[in-house]
Amino acid sequence: MGRLFVAALLLFVAGCSGGEGAVPGGSKIDALLAKAPVYTGQVTPGSAVDRIRKRGELVIGGSQDAPLLSQLDPISGELTGFDAYLGKLLAQYVVGKPPTELLSATSETREPLLANGTVDVIIQTYTITPQRAERVSFAGPYYQSGQSIAVRKGTSGIAEPADLAGKTVIVGANTPGVKAVQDAAPTAKILEFGSDPECLTALKQGRGEAYVQDQAILVADASKDSELQLVGEPFTEDPYGIGIKHGDAEFTKFVNDWLREIGKSGLWQEVWKQTIGTVVTGDAPAPPAIAS
């Protein structure tokens, strides 16, 4: 799914989907929720599901500045995008209604937020890696992407990962981009920043010659910034997972069962069409196999 998806995105980048409520397209999440499943089985007292139900809302660690994925609509005040809608659908499955609370997370704060119980889940382009799996339990993967290269428009001499050798490359701190650059171009100088907006600013200021990040994020960035140019194909495969507190096998299985259910019913594909699919032609891809 990853390479086909990102190649299509490169060809059909456009504006992200509209918000909810009074703005055009506002019924999208309502239409999705009308088809969303609700869990009716037994709940273990004191479990994560039990705590979330008693609270009455799902607390998510995520972003509000990622177009197509999780972005705050300034008119409606609602979060829109693939990750945001999945969060609402998961809340509906657990609680029976869609209320969610979003706490802003960065690549450096996601794991502490899970470990101390501040959030129930992280839904934020969170790539599953063996190193992270030692500190976080992952449900999924729920999406497949890959690391790619962005440069300032007009930059020459960078067309593939090997061209990063000897250059200063910007990456997000504690992201797979760090290892991806180290593997592809060991002589590159890596410059880390804590968030995607910080990385973009650094690139535009000329503090680095390239920015390596998950291509789904870069394409969303390029859709609103004409100074950004993507080069080449993704050179890694990065599965996104839903982060859960480490060791909570019961809740991880619960979320995996939900992912399988919305995948089989076609609801996952509908979420894709309403968000990422608004800038990609063709049918929705099949969701990745869970726990693969």
Side-chain angles (χ1 to χ4, degrees), residues 43-47 50 54:
V43 176
T44 304
S47 65
D50 186 42
K54 288 178 178 176

Side-chain angles (χ1 to χ4, degrees), residues 152-268:
R152 295 183 301 279
K153 186 163 286 186
T155 298
S156 60
I158 299 178
E160 58 184 24
D163 296 332
L164 300 176
K167 296 181 172 61
T168 299
V169 182
I170 296 165
V171 297
N174 194 31
T175 69
V178 177
K179 186 176 186 301
V181 174
Q182 290 172 339
D183 290 345
T187 61
K189 178 184 176 182
I190 294 175
L191 189 59
E192 299 182 39
F193 293 92
S195 69
D196 176 56
E198 289 176 285
C199 289
L200 287 173
T201 298
L203 178 67
K204 292 167 72 171
Q205 290 175 341
R207 299 175 68 180
E209 293 150 284
Y211 172 28
V212 170
Q213 177 59 279
D214 187 291
Q215 192 171 34
I217 297 174
L218 292 180
V219 171
D221 290 335
S223 72
K224 58 178 182 176
D225 191 337
S226 60
E227 295 181 48
L228 194 65
Q229 178 178 331
L230 278 66
V231 295
E233 291 292 321
F235 58 98
T236 67
E237 292 186 357
D238 296 329
Y240 291 171
I242 295 177
I244 294 170
K245 187 173 183 177
H246 189 253
D248 194 339
E250 181 178 357
F251 191 41
T252 302
K253 180 182 182 301
F254 180 91
V255 177
N256 274 334
D257 289 344
W258 166 73
L259 285 171
R260 291 188 183 95
E261 185 169 347
I262 65 172
K264 288 179 180 178
S265 70
L267 187 57
W268 183 98

Side-chain angles (χ1 to χ4, degrees), residues 2-39:
R3 294 186 182 278
L4 178 61
F5 155 65
V6 293
L9 269 179
L10 282 173
L11 292 173
F12 299 101
V13 168
C16 64
S17 60
E20 302 163 35
V23 296
S27 63
K28 289 178 180 179
I29 185 60
D30 293 333
L32 294 169
L33 288 169
K35 302 176 182 179
V38 175
Y39 181 70

Side-chain angles (χ1 to χ4, degrees), residues 94-115:
V94 178
V95 183
K97 53 186 179 180
T100 60
E101 178 183 355
L102 180 82
L103 296 182
S104 181
T106 68
S107 57
E108 296 170 314
T109 63
R110 289 182 294 206
E111 288 158 20
L113 288 172
L114 284 172

